[in-house]
Amino acid sequence: MRTFGQDVRYAWRTLAHSPGFTLVAALTLALGVGATTAIFSVVNGVLLRPLPYRDPERIANLWVHFGVGAQALPVMSPGDFRDYQQRTKSFAMLAAGTGSQVIGATGALTDRGSEPERVDVSAVTANFFPLLGVDPIAGRQFTAEDEAVGGPRVVILSYGLWKRRYGADPQIVGRRIRLDELDQTVIGIMPESFHLWLPSEAFLITDSQIWKPLQFNYSNGPPRNFTFFTVFGRLAPGVTFEQAQADLDVIARQLRAEHAEHESGDMHIRVVPLQEDVVKHARRALLSLFVAVGFVLVIACANVAHLLLARSTAREREMAVRGALGATRFRLVRQLATESLVLAAFGGLAGVGLAWAATRALTAINPANLPRLDAVRIDGAVVLFAIVATGFTALSFGLLPALGAAEIDLNRVLRAGSGSIAPARRRGLLMIAEMALALVLLIGAGLMIRSFTALQRVRPGFDPAGLLTFRIALPPAKYPRPELRTAFLTEMERRLRAVTGVVDVGLVSQLPLTGSGPLSPFAYDETTARRWESETSDGRNVSSAYFRTMGTRLLAGRVFDEHDAGRQDVIIVDDTLAARAWRGANPIGKRLQVQPTGNKFAFAEVVGVVEHIRAHDLARAVRPQIYAPLGGGGRVYVVVRAARDAGAILPGIRGAMHSLDPDLPLDRVRPMSAYVADALAESRLNLILMSVFGGAALLLSSVGIYGVFSYTVGQRTREIGIRMALGQPPDGIRNLVLREGATLIAKSTVLGLVTALLLGRAVSSLLYQITPGDPATFAAGALVLMTAALAGCYIPARRATAVSPIVALKTD
């Protein structure tokens, strides 16, 4: 330990005597360690950190698959849920939740003395929070009595709502609040850390501000194919997910035999670990970015290794003298290794600071595609990773120089009186590997750029410019009858159109780019009718002016008019459904089965065809769409088109709505362009990070090749002087250096292109309308790398021509 302390002190003095070298090397390492640690903090928080529930690895989300070719969603019918709950032997508990639409809640908070506010409300079974292992910090859980049909009106508040609206008043438990024009008794407050994590495909249930008991009448429920319960399960002790899957497969076969709605299909349940379900869409992107930033770290290590190799060559005489005075080769290697460790420690400390700043910036950006961002932070696991990464860098860049010290020929160095050239082969291999990895990152960045550009060109099925959107929900207690709600919506449209700057107003049950709406099975021939639910669509209800307001193209037929309001026998379909069902024939006047046979309106007439509107994201046309006329619904999104700036009409919109109903809060007020931006968030984040990594790799590689050739030219001064004295012209000297550089660059380019091609499949799912082996991107990446690398060679090559033969020949 004493000798190690001596080595550390000597390393500190040595590095302090070369501040320029120390600063450049430490900053290079800080870039590599910091970027890698920052991405690891995201991987750790999003993918690795357990969900904040009790034994989260035993919690499952249940998906319903309706057969080959049909949809799969994390929802279940109430009847099926009750059967699975009663028959399963593999789950200790099954719990369900659903959204406010099902329970008739609108989330209008109208407490006396407070501004009206719209909050998200979800209803859950009494065992929902016990299944997750979460207890209220004040008050109590729901009970079976609370869940009974016609039971008490009780609610549990989220911590955020309790603190923001009620000032964290502990006396709120037991008091009544006014929700949807009805008094509700607060019985509990959830912990600050509680959030309901859901897969992106989940709908209806949300991470809500208010929770109610699910008071559902299972004995008089809807058909088995009407799915709106999100179901979670906790495995029984000793049961695996595979065993649970087999158990539910048996129950699914029983239900197909017992119920007509399921007998024609292949309905079954898929058991998915909740942790996996929540993060599945982010996993591949994050792991790809983690590999990419690992390349940056390797390049940074290679750059510092170049610097240390050059420095160790200049210190050969020092090492030889120490060896002659009795220092063993192990002692010399240990000294150089200690210097590398001290240097890595400087870079690691600076890297952790850089990672902290980067994670703060990332969470501030709040990319819409990343779940669990609240768990991203610099904690003990991330610091431990940074320490390991720092140790890796110390070993990586310090190994070659330290081994070189063990190969010093003391007699040769002491007789020569100066340093000799360190093995060029090592530097050449490092340079080839460094530039090859840089090319891989450049190609990755190029693919992301081209993919993002292609996504930006996608028409989402509407024109987002100038569109302002918001949501309203009419409380059933205040607007109990459909005719009252219809009258309100009609008057609302009239008043909004009268606002200065408003061009048009449309209404829709769910906005584009916000996920699936109610799924609507349909049939267009005997085969699809017999295999009911083999074809499903996203269902939307729209007003007559909706498509005109959105700027959606009408391809055939007509839109709805005022006479269609509330009708169920007329529909508009998108071009995707029309092409699938009628294969080029005119769809206008065709009849589509949209409800199971036996209902009053089993068939609906197609009166119009519109272009497909993206429901989930810009890259996928997930399902065909069926639009029905908007009736007297109490929950709608309002879309307002402005003549110019959407934000400029907001004060007028608020005034018009307040004059109509001062107690009605506006919710989710956003321009439609914000939803488009959210749909681009994943591609934008991948593009930014990959471009940063590619740019850093290119910079480090360019600096590295410049440093290598500058050092090489300096070491060959005497050789260059002899060549010039023998008559070789300056152009020949320059071309000699450039040829050596071009050879290294060519080898690097070939290796980088092959590596990028082999790794292309890993990023294929992140791309849109571009193949991982796109020739144009590969060619552009290679051209950029070769240009930057040749520029790094040219300056030392040009300097070589300025060497004076007389001065060079006098060089020792």
Side-chain angles (χ1 to χ4, degrees):
M1 183 60 69
R2 184 174 61 84
T3 56
F4 177 72
Q6 292 175 349
D7 288 344
V8 171
R9 289 192 294 272
Y10 183 80
W12 171 260
R13 291 195 301 270
T14 302
L15 293 173
H17 287 156
S18 305
F21 161 81
T22 303
L23 180 62
V24 170
L27 289 178
T28 301
L29 292 174
L31 175 63
V33 173
T36 308
T37 302
I39 295 299
F40 175 78
S41 71
V42 179
V43 171
N44 181 58
V46 174
L47 301 184
L48 303 181
R49 188 186 301 279
L51 292 172
Y53 308 134
R54 176 172 56 84
D55 298 329
E57 71 281 358
R58 303 193 63 76
I59 300 177
N61 191 29
L62 303 190
W63 282 65
V64 175
H65 288 246
F66 289 97
V68 179
Q71 83 275 11
L73 281 175
V75 286
M76 189 181 296
S77 70
D80 283 356
F81 162 68
R82 180 52 60 92
D83 282 337
Y84 280 104
Q85 187 182 49
Q86 294 174 348
R87 300 184 191 187
T88 181
K89 299 177 182 178
S90 56
F91 285 95
M93 283 187 282
L94 287 183
T98 191
S100 54
Q101 299 96 314
V102 176
I103 60 175
T106 64
L109 269 177
T110 53
D111 301 309
R112 296 182 184 87
S114 300
E115 287 294 319
E117 179 181 354
R118 170 69 170 78
V119 296
D120 286 330
V121 180
S122 290
V124 295
T125 54
N127 65 342
F128 185 84
F129 295 124
L131 183 148
L132 298 177
V134 181
D135 294 313
I137 59 172
R140 64 173 178 85
Q141 301 268 20
F142 295 130
T143 64
E145 291 74 19
D146 297 327
E147 191 180 344
V149 177
R153 290 199 293 267
V154 294
V155 296
I156 295 177
L157 306 182
S158 71
Y159 183 92
L161 180 67
W162 173 57
K163 184 176 181 180
R164 174 176 50 79
R165 188 172 180 94
Y166 301 105
D169 180 7
Q171 303 302 318
I172 191 70
V173 176
R175 284 182 13 206
R176 294 182 177 181
I177 63 174
R178 193 73 173 171
L179 177 68
D180 297 331
E181 301 296 323
L182 297 172
D183 287 336
Q184 313 275 348
T185 302
V186 177
I187 64 169
I189 309 295
M190 296 305 293
E192 182 178 9
S193 61
F194 174 73
H195 293 284
L196 179 60
W197 294 107
L198 297 161
S200 59
E201 296 86 353
F203 59 96
L204 295 179
I205 190 172
T206 62
D207 182 30
S208 298
Q209 288 85 49
I210 292 182
W211 301 89
K212 300 183 69 173
L214 182 54
Q215 300 172 343
F216 194 85
N217 186 356
Y218 294 93
S219 62
N220 190 28
R224 295 274 174 154
N225 52 23
F226 192 26
T227 55
F228 50 83
F229 274 14
T230 298
V231 179
F232 300 89
R234 175 173 287 278
L235 294 177
V239 175
T240 66
F241 281 98
E242 292 74 17
Q243 291 170 333
Q245 181 66 68
D247 177 31
L248 297 195
D249 286 345
V250 172
I251 300 174
R253 287 194 293 270
Q254 295 171 353
L255 296 184
R256 286 199 297 271
E258 294 171 9
H259 300 285
E261 296 96 330
H262 296 324
E263 65 182 359
S264 61
D266 184 31
M267 186 277 295
H268 61 281
I269 300 296
R270 182 163 60 94
V271 181
V272 184
L274 182 60
Q275 172 101 17
E276 174 187 315
D277 216 7
V278 169
V279 302
K280 61 181 180 293
H281 292 304
R283 182 182 301 278
R284 184 179 289 267
L286 286 180
L287 294 181
S288 298
L289 291 172
F290 189 60
V291 171
V293 78
F295 287 175
V296 175
L297 179 61
V298 172
I299 292 171
C301 292
N303 251 17
V304 177
H306 287 311
L307 294 173
L308 286 177
L309 279 172
R311 192 165 180 266
S312 66
T313 301
R315 296 175 65 189
E316 278 187 348
R317 185 171 181 81
E318 172 199 340
M319 295 294 109
V321 171
R322 294 185 65 188
L325 292 176
T328 64
R329 293 192 173 184
F330 173 75
R331 186 74 174 80
L332 297 177
V333 170
R334 192 179 72 182
Q335 178 60 57
L336 289 178
T338 303
E339 291 181 19
S340 299
L341 186 61
V342 172
L343 187 60
F346 291 153
L349 286 173
V352 171
L354 181 63
W356 177 83
T359 53
R360 291 288 297 271
L362 181 64
T363 52
I365 294 172
N366 192 25
N369 64 301
L370 275 184
R372 305 195 64 201
L373 269 183
D374 65 320
V376 176
R377 55 183 175 270
I378 304 297
D379 59 7
V382 176
V383 171
L384 179 62
F385 173 85
I387 293 172
V388 172
T390 300
F392 168 79
T393 59
L395 179 65
S396 299
F397 70 74
L399 185 61
L400 285 180
L403 291 177
E407 299 174 359
I408 293 176
D409 186 340
L410 301 183
N411 294 327
R412 174 185 61 79
V413 174
L414 292 175
R415 284 199 309 268
S418 65
S420 61
I421 300 176
R425 178 179 175 82
R426 292 173 182 165
R427 293 196 302 274
L429 291 176
L430 277 175
M431 199 69 255
I432 290 172
E434 183 177 344
M435 288 192 294
L437 291 179
L439 179 55
V440 172
L441 292 179
L442 284 175
I443 290 173
L447 291 173
M448 296 299 172
I449 291 172
R450 295 203 63 190
S451 177
F452 185 73
T453 302
L455 268 178
Q456 286 184 308
R457 290 197 296 263
V458 171
R459 176 175 166 82
F462 56 89
D463 178 12
L467 286 181
L468 181 70
T469 70
F470 60 90
R471 185 174 66 171
I472 62 168
L474 304 179
K478 192 172 185 178
Y479 301 91
R481 299 191 304 278
E483 57 268 24
L484 291 178
R485 297 192 290 271
T486 299
F488 178 92
L489 297 178
T490 301
E491 179 62 16
M492 178 187 69
E493 287 186 274
R494 187 189 69 79
R495 294 197 188 190
L496 291 180
R497 287 194 178 96
V499 173
T500 302
V502 171
V503 175
D504 215 338
V505 179
L507 309 178
V508 64
S509 56
Q510 185 171 344
L511 286 174
L513 297 176
T514 60
S516 296
L519 294 182
S520 302
F522 66 93
Y524 50 84
D525 58 18
E526 290 184 4
T527 301
T528 52
R530 186 172 58 254
R531 298 182 63 247
W532 186 250
E533 289 183 335
S534 64
E535 297 282 353
T536 56
S537 68
D538 268 340
R540 299 287 196 274
N541 295 88
V542 299
S543 66
S544 58
Y546 172 72
F547 296 117
R548 183 178 68 225
T549 305
M550 291 291 289
T552 299
R553 293 191 290 254
L554 178 67
L555 304 179
R558 65 173 179 87
V559 296
F560 300 130
D561 57 32
E562 62 275 10
H563 303 295
D564 295 320
R567 292 178 61 184
Q568 301 181 50
D569 59 344
V570 292
I571 56 173
I572 294 173
V573 301
D574 70 347
D575 52 353
T576 304
L577 190 151
R580 180 181 301 181
W582 297 292
R583 297 176 177 80
N586 182 12
I588 304 304
K590 300 288 187 181
R591 290 169 60 79
L592 200 69
Q593 185 176 343
V594 293
Q595 296 179 10
T597 303
N599 283 4
K600 182 178 180 181
F601 299 108
F603 289 85
E605 179 185 350
V606 176
V607 299
V609 179
V610 296
E611 64 177 311
H612 178 81
I613 299 177
R614 299 298 168 108
H616 291 263
D617 54 50
L618 295 176
R620 299 177 297 160
V622 178
R623 291 184 186 85
Q625 292 154 354
I626 295 176
Y627 299 92
L630 186 71
R635 184 190 313 272
V636 296
Y637 282 90
V638 183
V639 183
V640 183
R641 180 167 291 281
R644 289 189 295 274
D645 179 21
I649 64 173
L650 183 55
I653 295 294
R654 290 192 182 278
M657 294 300 297
H658 187 269
S659 68
L660 196 58
D661 186 341
D663 293 329
L664 186 67
L666 304 190
D667 181 40
R668 302 184 186 181
V669 181
R670 298 184 78 192
M672 198 65 218
S673 57
Y675 290 100
V676 177
D678 286 348
L680 290 168
E682 179 178 356
S683 293
R684 184 184 293 108
L685 180 64
N686 295 339
L687 166 65
I688 292 173
L689 292 180
M690 192 64 79
S691 297
V692 169
F693 299 156
L698 181 63
L699 176 63
L700 290 173
S701 298
S702 301
V703 171
I705 198 168
Y706 168 78
V708 167
F709 278 89
S710 292
Y711 175 77
T712 301
V713 168
Q715 290 292 309
R716 298 175 65 181
T717 300
R718 185 177 180 84
E719 174 196 342
I720 291 171
I722 293 173
R723 287 177 178 271
M724 296 182 70
L726 294 176
Q728 187 166 6
D731 286 350
I733 298 296
R734 183 174 62 248
N735 292 338
L736 174 66
V737 177
L738 287 176
R739 275 198 303 272
E740 294 179 0
T743 301
L744 280 178
I745 294 169
K747 293 178 180 178
S748 304
T749 302
V750 172
L751 179 60
L753 290 174
V754 172
T755 304
L757 195 59
L758 293 175
L759 294 177
R761 182 176 297 179
V763 298
S764 59
S765 65
L766 309 180
L767 304 178
Y768 178 73
Q769 290 188 347
I770 188 77
T771 61
D774 178 59
T777 305
F778 273 57
L783 181 62
V784 170
L785 179 74
M786 290 190 298
T787 301
L790 285 174
C793 295
Y794 180 77
I795 298 175
R798 184 174 180 182
R799 187 186 305 149
T801 63
V803 174
S804 169
I806 297 176
V807 174
L809 292 173
K810 289 181 180 179
T811 301
D812 184 20

